[in-house]
Amino acid sequence: MREDHSRSMSVSPSVSEARLASVLGTAVDGIVVMDDAARIILFNKACETLFGYSAEEVRGKNVKILMPADYAHEHDGYLSHYLETGEKRIIGIGREVRGRHSDGSEFPIELSVGEAATPEGRQFIGIMRDLRPRKAVERRLAEAQAQLVNMTRISALDEMGAAIAHELNQPLTAIMLYLQAARRKASAGGAPDEKLVEIVDKGVREAERASQIIQRMRGFVEKRDPERRPVSMASLIREGLELVVLGDAHSGVKIFAEIPDDLPEISADPVQIQQVLVNLARNALEAVRECKHKVVRVRAFTEGPDMIVSVSDSGGGVPPEVVPNLFRAFSGVKRRGLGLGLTISRSIAQNHGGDLSVEPLGEDGGAVFVLRLPLDARAEETPSPAVSLTKGPSE
């Protein structure tokens, strides 16, 4: 009975080889077997996909063919050291290394190496897992985390901006009241001091202007539902440019605005369209910041059934390879900004029945962004998100 049981448990070499071939052929990870001279004995299907070689191409060759030059240079020394001393540096210890594809490109892999004593001598089995998918996921997660941190800070800035604008309105109102009282006092009685009245009048006008700017800023950052109504594009563009050039950060830039007073009105959400215009103007100013010749041009005109607003600059233009992904989120190449500005700007334009496009090189050598909006008041009324695009230049 014992003899029969022993016979039933035995496996013929052909069956064992078939099972091994099946395991090697269906394994997701790359498996390579080499002898103690580092010559490849076995190279499974996953390895063929991973490295771009067929099993016939690599069989009998040194395993260094799968390694970058810096690894290959040291590999034979590692193997000789182990065979002489038995000290394990890689064997039995999985670690991340780089592999070399047949086309010369390098890529990260996770490598674990085992050892087997066979009738044919000592052999080493390497199991390799492609780390590129995992690395890509890790990179996307890191980018998403960084963007969330930025968005949190931007949200806080939104709230702070609205609060500051609200608080500044009160002292500005008081300043205007005091100036008006001073004007009445200066004008009362006999001969008024005309110079003093003139100075006070200028102070009142500047206070009123500051109040208007703050009101626009509040409207810019406040969360609100989209609202379509007839709006003057000429006014929107001019007010947007006033917001953009506040301060001296862009001093030295020549801004040419060709905005006819008789531009027709369009049906649009004024805050959203002004956000687009401000975003494009800020991008243009940012593009020429380091240029010797600093020019930004804003043109507005009608063309057939559309209102056209173009914003061009004298910067370096947009590289052709960047253009296809320019309006995709998080695809920007600048260190500053989220890469969301142009994405959201195009979305707003398209939700208004128009579009936003780019011409890589304009007359001044830089990029030209073209905003196209329909003149027809029956433009598509798809609501778009009320978002602020003025948090930093877009890529």
Side-chain angles (χ1 to χ4, degrees):
M1 293 292 292
R2 184 177 300 171
E3 183 179 350
D4 292 341
H5 177 72
S6 177
R7 186 181 299 112
S8 66
M9 293 295 294
S10 65
V11 179
S12 67
S14 60
V15 173
S16 177
E17 290 173 2
R19 287 177 179 171
L20 177 61
S22 177
V23 169
L24 294 175
T26 57
V28 176
D29 294 333
I31 301 175
V32 61
V33 179
M34 68 177 188
D35 61 19
D36 56 7
R39 292 175 302 212
I40 297 174
I41 301 171
L42 186 147
F43 198 73
N44 75 338
K45 290 289 185 183
C47 269
E48 292 183 337
T49 302
L50 190 59
F51 291 97
Y53 293 107
S54 67
E56 289 74 16
E57 287 179 285
V58 299
R59 188 175 290 115
K61 293 185 178 180
N62 193 297
V63 75
K64 292 189 294 186
I65 193 175
L66 308 179
M67 304 176 186
D70 52 341
Y71 286 0
H73 178 70
E74 299 174 344
H75 180 262
D76 286 344
Y78 287 147
L79 182 59
S80 298
H81 178 80
Y82 172 68
L83 293 174
E84 292 173 3
T85 67
E87 180 186 351
K88 296 180 179 179
R89 295 184 178 179
I90 299 178
I91 296 173
I93 306 171
R95 69 174 187 173
E96 182 179 330
V97 296
R98 299 194 316 276
R100 183 180 183 276
H101 193 272
S102 61
D103 63 9
S105 61
E106 299 179 10
F107 56 94
I109 59 175
E110 186 176 29
L111 171 66
S112 58
V113 180
E115 181 183 8
T118 73
E120 299 175 354
R122 190 180 299 186
Q123 296 182 354
F124 301 94
I125 301 94
I127 300 176
M128 292 158 285
R129 175 166 297 174
D130 189 354
L131 292 182
R132 283 172 293 187
R134 192 178 81 185
K135 293 286 185 182
V137 171
E138 291 174 352
R139 185 168 56 253
R140 287 196 295 269
L141 287 174
E143 290 173 354
Q145 185 178 22
Q147 300 300 342
L148 285 174
V149 171
N150 282 339
M151 292 296 285
T152 301
R153 286 160 42 194
I154 285 171
S155 178
L157 286 174
D158 267 353
E159 295 175 4
M160 289 172 59
I164 290 172
H166 175 74
E167 293 299 325
L168 284 176
N169 261 337
Q170 295 181 8
L172 278 173
T173 300
I175 288 171
M176 283 191 287
L177 291 174
Y178 285 132
L179 287 172
Q180 290 167 359
R183 187 186 188 288
R184 287 194 297 270
K185 187 72 173 176
S187 301
D193 187 333
E194 295 183 358
K195 188 65 176 177
L196 179 60
V197 171
E198 180 184 354
I199 292 173
V200 172
D201 283 342
K202 288 181 178 179
V204 171
R205 287 196 296 271
E206 290 303 311
E208 289 175 344
R209 179 171 173 270
S211 179
Q212 292 170 359
I213 290 173
I214 288 174
Q215 290 298 329
R216 292 171 192 159
M217 291 177 66
R218 287 188 64 184
F220 221 68
V221 300
E222 286 177 349
K223 294 178 176 65
R224 50 184 293 282
D225 294 328
E227 177 188 354
R228 300 284 182 89
R229 60 181 174 83
V231 295
S232 166
M233 281 297 292
S235 297
L236 281 184
I237 298 171
R238 293 190 180 110
E239 291 174 5
L241 288 176
E242 285 184 17
L243 287 174
V244 169
V245 299
L246 287 175
D248 59 358
H250 302 294
S251 60
V253 180
K254 295 180 180 179
I255 301 177
F256 298 97
E258 299 177 18
I259 309 164
D261 292 325
D262 59 350
L263 284 176
E265 292 184 338
I266 66 169
S267 177
D269 182 295
V271 173
Q272 289 188 351
I273 296 303
Q274 194 171 76
Q275 285 175 340
V276 175
L277 296 170
V278 167
N279 188 55
L280 296 179
R282 289 192 60 164
N283 287 348
L285 290 170
E286 179 71 16
V288 302
R289 175 180 290 181
E290 306 298 332
C291 296
K292 183 177 180 180
H293 181 55
K294 302 179 181 181
V295 174
V296 172
R297 300 181 189 274
V298 181
R299 295 187 176 98
F301 54 92
T302 59
E303 185 178 88
D306 297 322
M307 170 77 68
I308 308 296
V309 181
S310 69
V311 180
S312 61
D313 60 70
S314 59
V318 180
E321 64 273 15
V322 174
V323 173
N325 296 320
L326 192 61
F327 294 97
R328 293 177 60 185
F330 309 127
S331 62
V333 295
K334 290 185 180 179
R335 290 176 61 88
R336 299 178 59 190
L338 295 177
L340 286 171
L342 291 176
T343 303
I344 299 174
S345 294
R346 170 176 269 186
S347 175
I348 290 174
Q350 291 177 344
N351 287 333
H352 278 74
D355 201 1
L356 177 63
S357 59
V358 62
E359 299 171 7
L361 289 175
E363 63 180 280
D364 293 303
V368 183
F369 285 88
V370 180
L371 173 64
R372 184 180 298 270
L373 296 169
L375 293 172
D376 191 342
R378 295 169 297 176
E380 183 181 353
E381 295 290 331
T382 305
S384 53
V387 289
S388 177
L389 307 182
T390 59
K391 308 306 183 293
S394 299
E395 288 78 2

